[in-house]
Amino acid sequence: MNVSLTVNGKPVECDIEERTLLSDLLREQLGLTGTHRGCDTAQCGACTVHLDGVAVKSCNLLALQAAGGSVTTIERIAAGDGSLHPMQEAFRECHGLQCGFCTPGMVMSAIDLVRRCPEPDVGAIREGLEGNLCRCTGYDNIVQAVALGARHMRG
Ligand code: FES
Ligand code: FES
């Protein structure tokens, strides 16, 4: 089957199988390996991307379900000059990562959370990220990073 969508601002057309997951299309056909694959069962959030501006788990969507849509991955979050997105910068400042495996998904979910709730308190951050798992950090630094990222995003 043929699918057309926009990925990171560029039109893309791919031949896929009906069962191809969006995460597989991104990683294997488009080489966007910043979108990680942890569980493939919609539990860990490592594969989180934005579809039409909303955070989704790309292992839980068929590529066909994104047809005609606009997908943004972690590769597109930094500015054109390479400077980090405010949320990425906050993760760096607060040491919100250790191995980094969960980080792309955490950042994509956090940006979506802050767009919907510009001043999240600790409870809202923890609730907003409950679909993203981290094996390393114990979450406290991630929560601090998202709070700081929210402040940065508000300017
Ligand atoms: S790989 Fe998609 S939620 Fe874990
Ligand atoms: S930093 Fe290692 S899984 Fe989160």
Side-chain angles (χ1 to χ4, degrees):
M1 303 197 66
N2 192 268
V3 66
S4 300
L5 65 164
T6 302
V7 178
N8 293 340
K10 293 185 189 146
V12 164
E13 209 177 310
C14 291
D15 286 325
I16 56 167
E17 293 180 36
E18 249 174 88
R19 64 193 175 112
T20 300
L21 298 173
L22 179 58
S23 54
D24 291 338
L25 173 70
L26 294 171
R27 287 179 56 86
E28 287 160 26
Q29 291 194 243
L30 302 179
L32 295 168
T33 54
T35 298
H36 290 169
R37 194 161 46 203
C39 65
D40 258 353
T41 52
Q43 294 179 64
C44 75
C47 64
T48 304
V49 299
H50 294 171
L51 175 59
D52 296 328
V54 176
V56 295
K57 292 178 176 176
S58 60
C59 77
N60 201 33
L61 275 182
L62 295 171
L64 285 175
Q65 290 175 283
S70 179
V71 174
T72 305
T73 71
I74 192 74
E75 285 88 349
R76 175 74 172 192
I77 292 303
D81 66 1
S83 51
L84 296 177
H85 184 282
M87 189 60 74
Q88 291 175 305
E89 185 60 35
F91 270 68
R92 192 187 66 78
E93 282 179 45
C94 295
H95 306 290
L97 64 146
Q98 288 181 27
C99 79
F101 189 83
C102 70
T103 311
M106 287 284 183
V107 168
M108 298 306 281
S109 292
I111 292 170
D112 178 53
L113 167 66
V114 171
R115 283 182 185 152
R116 287 181 286 109
C117 175
E119 294 188 52
D121 60 18
V122 168
I125 293 170
R126 287 189 178 273
E127 194 178 322
L129 295 182
E130 68 183 0
N132 291 74
L133 303 182
C134 176
R135 287 180 159 188
C136 306
T137 62
Y139 297 101
D140 283 344
N141 286 14
I142 290 176
V143 171
Q144 287 173 28
V146 175
L148 180 62
R151 285 202 293 281
H152 286 336
M153 284 174 68
R154 290 197 302 273

